[in-house]
Amino acid sequence: MLCDVCKSESACVFLTQIVDGKMQKVNLCESCSRERGVTDPTAFALADLLQGLGAAQDVEQLAGRGQKCGTCGFTQAEFKKTGRLGCSACYATFTEGITSLLSSMHKGSSHSGKVPERQARFVEKEKALKELHVQLRQAVKSENYEDAATLRDRIRQLEVEA
Amino acid sequence: MAIRKILGKTSDWLGGDGPHHNIVVSSRVRLARNLKGTPFPGWAKKAERVTILERIRPHVEGLPEMAEAVSLACQDLSALEKQVLVERHLISREHAAKGLGSAVVMNRRQNLSIMVNEEDHLRMQSIRSGLQLKAAFKSVNKVDTELEQQLDFAFDSTLGYLTACPSNVGTGMRASAMVHLPGLVLSEQINQVVQAVNKIGLAVRGLYGEGTEALGNLFQVSNQTTLGETEEQIIDRLQKVILQIIEHEQNARMTLLQHRSSTLLDHVGRAYGILRYAYSMNSKEALNLLSLAKLGCDLGFYPEPWSVAVDELFIETQPAHLQKGSQQKLAADERDGLRAEIIRGKLEECPTPAILDVLSKVPPSTLPPKSASPEA
């Protein structure tokens, strides 16, 4: 079995940790385990190590497909080179790869901080619409068509409001 | 030229009068913002960057906070002038490498600076002396609120403010404090502290940010993540951690004073000797000795006028600050000579440290054994 970090040496340190009720396993070679302070129990969190690995893999994935941003012409190959995106629309273009990259990088996956005043109403509406769509899907799934119709009407009404 | 007004004056936040200024040198909060529908600076063509700058600059210069501001285009600044601004933390190292299409606007007190077309279209930063993260955030947040009335920022209802690097998405905020931790370094506890801080999602970096060495026992502690928490939550968390670091540093200093006072006195005393009488000193050595002198001030070994002198020397002995006083380009050894000269000059006016007086106030039981003193 190869080391999860360097992927060249064979692994000789096998770790299992339970973080937030989830079991995480990692296999390391001797030098990587020493480098990452695995032998020092006070200084090591498996979660951090795994997070780091996750992020690197996501960047690879994101770079792997040949998509191009329609707004600015930015490609995934560029992202792999610089780690920076081309324009704000790139977040929508490359949403698939970015979502998992962001979740490995940050504490949460949605913004809860400041909202620009002039965009506040629009942002609120968008959030409400998203929430209604989720409810609509659930209603349809559970064959609760009466609720689904009400939800559909509310969505339509919100969309019409400028 | 406008930059002279800035270069000749020390930054406001260097005053060393903020809360906990013995350990926390400064607090900084920066916000990253971008315009909707235009490429980020790193991907934009030169002509696009110039257009973006022309669109943003009048609004920034028109801010009430920037009433007496200095607004500088990057192509008008010499490499030396840029380096001076980097040493004062008014622009980033990345911004110093920019030319046409980038600019910086900063107020006279040098506690508010706004970079246009750095990694993002706007990087707004507020600096305060000591531990004042909340005050720094309040001031930069106000500027942001004023600018967003006039400019359309890229914002997504789920992801928040959209930035060139995904690591800044959400609040676009990086809050950081520069902390001076000689006690934790001398007692070899610093690695533990750094690792513990890293583990809770905060970053510890060297003097000039990412990838720089921790010289002079100075460290920057900042939030690592920007998505999923409000600005206030991030700042609260950082503030709590920094208060704990302060406590650890104070404990480390007390322990050194009580159990290893001879080592401590040796460090502080030697620092005085070398700073006062050296004729050549590189910037790394200067930072490390000044750090020990600062520790000496904090512990009361060095009398009062020292602490201001030492704080000023921290900045004045940086390579670009030395060079700016000279007409011709200095070679490295000339700079080292000049640095030693400036330090000697400044310290000449300071009274001799009363190390022994202070020592007599430490309870006798905590003093080093007699055999350790030179008379024995």
Side-chain angles (χ1 to χ4, degrees):
Chain A
M1 185 182 292
L2 289 180
C3 165
D4 288 340
V5 177
C6 66
K7 298 200 167 60
S8 59
E9 300 291 309
S10 69
C12 63
V13 178
F14 308 97
L15 280 162
T16 306
Q17 252 184 17
I18 294 172
V19 180
D20 296 334
K22 267 193 281 178
M23 189 160 75
Q24 297 181 318
K25 284 186 178 176
V26 69
N27 312 310
L28 302 171
C29 68
E30 200 187 337
S31 67
C32 288
S33 75
R34 212 179 313 115
E35 205 176 288
R36 291 181 185 246
V38 175
T39 43
D40 178 1
T42 57
F44 179 70
L46 195 53
D48 294 346
L49 183 57
L50 290 167
Q51 257 180 20
L53 288 175
Q57 278 161 6
D58 289 334
V59 173
E60 288 282 319
Q61 262 180 19
L62 191 59
R65 297 175 223 122
Q67 262 172 311
K68 198 169 181 181
C69 175
T71 309
C72 72
F74 192 79
T75 60
Q76 288 164 321
E78 285 293 327
F79 183 72
K80 194 182 176 184
K81 243 193 284 173
T82 61
R84 310 283 186 273
L85 290 161
C87 72
S88 48
C90 288
Y91 280 92
T93 313
F94 306 114
T95 186
E96 206 181 314
I98 284 176
T99 310
S100 61
L101 177 66
L102 288 176
S103 68
S104 66
M105 253 177 191
H106 293 283
K107 277 213 142 172
S109 55
S110 69
H111 179 59
S112 57
K114 185 176 182 177
V115 174
E117 226 170 87
R118 286 190 300 134
Q119 295 186 42
R121 265 191 62 197
F122 174 76
V123 168
E124 236 163 72
K125 188 175 127 185
E126 279 226 314
K127 275 198 169 162
L129 273 174
K130 248 180 222 169
E131 179 60 25
L132 286 172
H133 274 291
V134 171
Q135 287 177 12
L136 178 63
R137 264 199 302 275
Q138 276 171 348
V140 172
K141 212 173 163 189
S142 57
E143 301 185 7
N144 193 348
Y145 296 113
E146 214 168 298
D147 283 0
T150 325
L151 286 166
R152 180 205 56 204
D153 292 344
R154 276 172 62 193
I155 289 172
R156 278 191 188 153
Q157 201 189 339
L158 255 182
E159 278 172 344
V160 173
E161 283 174 27
Chain B
M1 202 175 122
I3 191 166
R4 292 273 145 75
K5 296 177 199 151
I6 289 281
L7 297 186
K9 209 170 155 267
T10 34
S11 307
D12 200 45
W13 56 271
L14 261 174
D17 49 7
H20 300 287
H21 70 263
N22 275 355
I23 292 169
V24 185
V25 179
S26 61
S27 300
R28 275 193 292 161
V29 177
R30 76 113 169 93
L31 297 175
R33 299 289 184 257
N34 288 283
L35 299 185
K36 217 182 257 178
T38 35
F40 297 136
W43 184 241
K45 309 252 182 331
K46 192 171 258 177
E48 288 172 309
R49 284 204 303 274
V50 171
T51 313
I52 294 164
L53 176 61
E54 280 168 3
R55 226 165 101 195
I56 294 178
R57 202 167 166 182
H59 295 293
V60 173
E61 289 172 348
L63 287 165
E65 286 82 359
M66 292 297 187
E68 279 195 43
V70 179
S71 176
L72 305 157
C74 284
Q75 78 272 16
D76 295 339
L77 290 167
S78 69
L80 175 65
E81 289 164 336
K82 286 175 178 170
Q83 190 54 35
V84 170
L85 296 176
V86 171
E87 288 173 4
R88 291 189 188 181
H89 299 278
L90 289 166
I91 64 172
S92 63
R93 290 193 303 173
E94 184 171 338
H95 206 56
K98 296 281 158 78
L100 188 66
S102 295
V104 58
V105 183
M106 58 194 119
N107 67 351
R108 232 21 116 65
R109 297 170 70 189
Q110 300 173 42
N111 59 16
L112 182 69
S113 79
I114 300 182
M115 290 180 268
V116 185
N117 284 339
E118 197 236 28
E119 182 182 296
D120 295 296
H121 294 145
L122 275 160
R123 286 272 175 117
M124 310 173 257
Q125 143 183 289
S126 172
I127 320 182
R128 291 285 182 279
S129 159
L131 184 58
Q132 297 196 66
L133 290 165
K134 283 175 193 168
F137 172 64
K138 205 175 148 195
S139 116
V140 75
N141 189 40
K142 184 162 173 274
V143 167
D144 174 54
T145 306
E146 283 157 359
L147 284 177
E148 80 186 15
Q149 307 294 334
Q150 301 150 31
L151 298 166
D152 277 323
F153 289 151
F155 185 88
D156 177 86
S157 53
T158 311
L159 294 178
Y161 291 97
L162 301 173
T163 51
C165 182
S167 65
N168 292 316
V169 116
T171 58
M173 182 184 81
R174 186 83 63 221
S176 71
M178 173 113 65
V179 286
H180 180 232
L181 307 174
L184 290 170
V185 173
L186 283 175
S187 61
E188 288 165 12
Q189 296 177 67
I190 192 71
N191 285 339
Q192 268 172 284
V193 171
V194 169
Q195 279 166 348
V197 171
N198 281 336
K199 224 159 92 174
I200 48 177
L202 299 175
V204 185
R205 302 194 171 105
L207 188 52
Y208 291 105
E210 220 156 323
T212 59
E213 210 180 340
L215 293 169
N217 302 319
L218 289 165
F219 300 85
Q220 276 186 51
V221 186
S222 65
N223 61 309
Q224 183 90 276
T225 63
T226 51
L227 184 62
E229 284 176 294
T230 65
E231 288 82 355
E232 288 78 10
Q233 283 169 332
I234 295 172
I235 286 178
D236 271 352
R237 203 155 57 87
L238 186 62
Q239 171 105 3
K240 274 184 197 142
V241 170
I242 288 165
L243 285 172
Q244 274 190 5
I245 294 177
I246 292 173
E247 203 181 307
H248 281 298
E249 170 65 18
Q250 276 163 343
N251 286 342
R253 290 181 185 185
M254 282 327 286
T255 312
L256 283 171
L257 203 53
Q258 284 170 358
H259 301 293
R260 288 174 59 198
S261 59
S262 52
T263 317
L264 188 63
L265 290 173
D266 186 56
H267 280 299
V268 172
R270 274 170 190 270
Y272 171 73
I274 299 171
L275 287 168
R276 184 72 184 77
Y277 297 106
Y279 275 76
S280 172
M281 195 177 292
N282 65 33
S283 84
K284 191 172 169 179
E285 185 185 14
L287 277 172
N288 288 329
L289 292 173
L290 286 168
S291 161
L292 291 168
K294 190 171 162 60
L295 177 65
C297 297
D298 295 347
L299 294 175
F301 291 153
Y302 292 9
E304 212 15 74
W306 272 81
S307 69
V308 180
V310 168
D311 282 348
E312 283 173 6
L313 282 173
F314 261 110
I315 291 285
E316 286 169 17
T317 57
Q318 293 289 296
H321 274 77
L322 282 181
Q323 178 66 60
K324 82 178 163 77
S326 300
Q327 297 307 313
Q328 67 262 46
K329 174 114 182 70
L330 298 169
D333 57 334
E334 290 172 316
R335 263 206 314 268
D336 292 351
L338 179 62
R339 181 177 293 114
E341 188 184 319
I342 288 176
I343 295 174
R344 285 199 316 274
K346 192 153 229 162
L347 299 189
E348 216 167 51
E349 298 153 23
C350 295
T352 312
I355 293 177
L356 287 175
D357 293 352
V358 175
L359 201 56
S360 63
K361 289 177 204 148
V362 179
S365 61
T366 61
L367 288 181
K370 267 267 171 313
S371 60
S373 65
E375 294 91 347

